[in-house]
Amino acid sequence: MKKIPILIDCDTGTDDAVALIMACAAQNLQLLGVTTVAGNQTVDKTTLNTLKILSFLGRKDVPVARGAERPLLRTLQVAAEVHGSSGLGGVILPDPDMQAQQMNAVELIRSVLIKNDVPVTLVCTAPLTNIALLLSAYPQLKHKIERIVMMGGGLSHGNVTAAAEFNIYADPEAAGIVMNSGVSVVMCPLDMTEQALLKFDEIEHFASEKGKVSRLALDIFRFYAQYYEARGFSGVALHDPTTIAYLMRPELFTLRPMYVQVETAPGAATYGMTFADTRIMADPPAPNAQVCIDVQRDAFIRLLTECCRAYDTGTPV
């Protein structure tokens, strides 16, 4: 099987952890590295969480590099109310038996892009600070990026403000650089990721699983459920794992080409908003993103379950 080379840029909180679980289980993905950034929690915490998850999964072979500790321009705002004070909720994992690289995130991504024979897909489940810095510092490497598959934005609403989704709101200026870079972008917005619901009664199905990774996922989902239940959802929205699921099973998703802009006017009610031009008229702007607008929920949940179970059974996913 020909594998897709990927590098994950994340702010490891609860759903980033699930995305890492899926990525390490995927037979068609080759994980070349993981970079971290401040977002769900401080970069110190997201880096430690990443090292813990990869150690727990037995993936000490994957290099990890610490990235930006703050957004390009704005003040850092973390999401402790969603992911807890550690970033992993109430989940307690052993100390990692691996360390972050001495090079920073941008330099690790640069190294991976240069060394790989074919273009690499960047999977972004965090504020886009590291990627904006990479594109600004090394624009000559754009051709080495196959595409950027990102979780972020919303077409109809936000989750931090009425207009803005967290990953974009955390660093709108960085998101604007990425969206206008000319690199191919696949965008997984709230409109789709909120369809990727693990229903509350389905969470307890993981309690019947004996594997340590399934049990880890159960602990993550139980903590995460508290946030979503309090807000009237029927389940836990698995935002970040949809990026990995898209690369594993693209047929589960419906995509539509769109021209997407990011609002970067400080103080505006729409600050951090991603707005897509969907007008039906002559000469619309050329699309700069493929936007995921729909996901086959049941198949997505089956894929998630198979990925968690694979660590115990050894069954390829």
Side-chain angles (χ1 to χ4, degrees):
M1 176 188 295
K2 186 176 181 180
K3 294 191 175 187
I4 302 170
I6 68 169
L7 183 143
I8 297 177
D9 185 67
C10 58
D11 55 345
T12 301
T14 49
D15 56 336
D16 304 77
V18 178
L20 287 170
I21 289 171
M22 294 184 71
C24 290
Q27 295 295 301
N28 72 323
L29 302 181
Q30 180 186 13
L31 182 55
L32 301 176
V34 179
T35 52
T36 64
V37 67
N40 288 327
Q41 262 298 345
T42 64
V43 73
D44 288 341
K45 291 181 179 180
T46 63
T47 304
L48 178 60
N49 291 343
T50 301
L51 294 168
K52 284 183 175 182
I53 292 291
L54 289 175
S55 293
F56 188 80
L57 298 176
R59 292 302 305 270
K60 292 190 291 183
D61 60 302
V62 178
V64 175
R66 182 182 186 274
E69 63 185 25
R70 52 156 294 167
L72 295 182
L73 298 179
R74 64 163 299 163
T75 302
L76 175 64
Q77 176 176 321
V78 300
E81 72 281 4
V82 182
H83 300 274
S85 60
S86 73
L88 285 179
V91 175
I92 299 176
L93 288 171
D95 290 337
D97 54 3
M98 59 189 293
Q99 294 183 338
Q101 302 286 304
Q102 290 190 342
M103 70 179 78
N104 65 31
V106 171
E107 293 306 314
L108 177 60
I109 301 172
R110 174 180 177 270
S111 175
V112 167
L113 293 178
I114 290 173
K115 290 179 180 178
N116 213 59
D117 292 335
V118 298
V120 176
T121 293
L122 303 183
V123 182
C124 304
T125 62
L128 292 162
T129 315
N130 289 337
I131 310 306
L133 291 170
L134 172 82
L135 294 171
S136 299
Y138 302 109
Q140 70 274 18
L141 292 179
K142 288 180 184 180
H143 73 285
K144 297 287 286 182
I145 302 173
E146 177 69 22
R147 57 194 159 175
I148 295 170
V149 180
M150 55 169 278
M151 188 279 130
L155 302 180
S156 61
H157 63 285
N159 59 1
V160 176
T161 69
E165 178 275 331
F166 177 80
N167 282 346
I168 307 299
Y169 185 78
D171 198 342
E173 290 75 21
I177 289 171
V178 172
M179 294 305 298
N180 293 317
S181 67
V183 176
S184 177
V185 171
V186 176
M187 176 177 160
C188 298
L190 290 176
D191 310 75
M192 181 275 290
T193 64
E194 288 179 351
Q195 298 174 39
L197 282 177
L198 178 65
K199 296 178 181 177
F200 294 131
D201 60 350
E202 293 173 329
I203 291 175
E204 293 310 310
H205 293 173
F206 283 82
S208 63
E209 301 285 342
K210 293 183 171 54
K212 69 172 189 176
V213 175
S214 293
R215 301 295 297 188
L216 169 62
L218 173 65
D219 290 343
I220 290 172
F221 298 146
R222 281 175 169 169
F223 175 84
Y224 212 20
Q226 300 171 45
Y227 174 83
Y228 281 98
E229 193 166 17
R231 284 154 181 80
F233 279 74
S234 60
V236 171
L238 298 175
H239 305 288
D240 294 343
T242 61
T243 59
I244 301 299
Y246 166 74
L247 291 170
M248 294 179 71
R249 303 283 190 275
E251 68 275 10
L252 302 184
F253 296 82
T254 302
L255 277 66
R256 182 177 299 168
M258 296 183 184
Y259 176 66
V260 181
Q261 299 179 74
V262 180
E263 175 61 81
T264 58
T270 52
Y271 184 57
M273 178 181 180
T274 50
F275 52 100
D277 193 332
T278 57
R279 293 174 295 174
I280 301 175
M281 59 181 294
D283 300 321
N288 62 353
Q290 295 288 328
V291 181
C292 295
I293 60 172
D294 190 43
V295 60
Q296 297 177 33
R297 190 208 77 92
D298 291 351
F300 168 75
I301 297 302
R302 284 195 298 272
L303 179 61
L304 165 67
T305 305
E306 290 168 7
C307 286
C308 292
R309 190 177 292 154
Y311 292 90
D312 184 44
T313 63
T315 304
V317 183

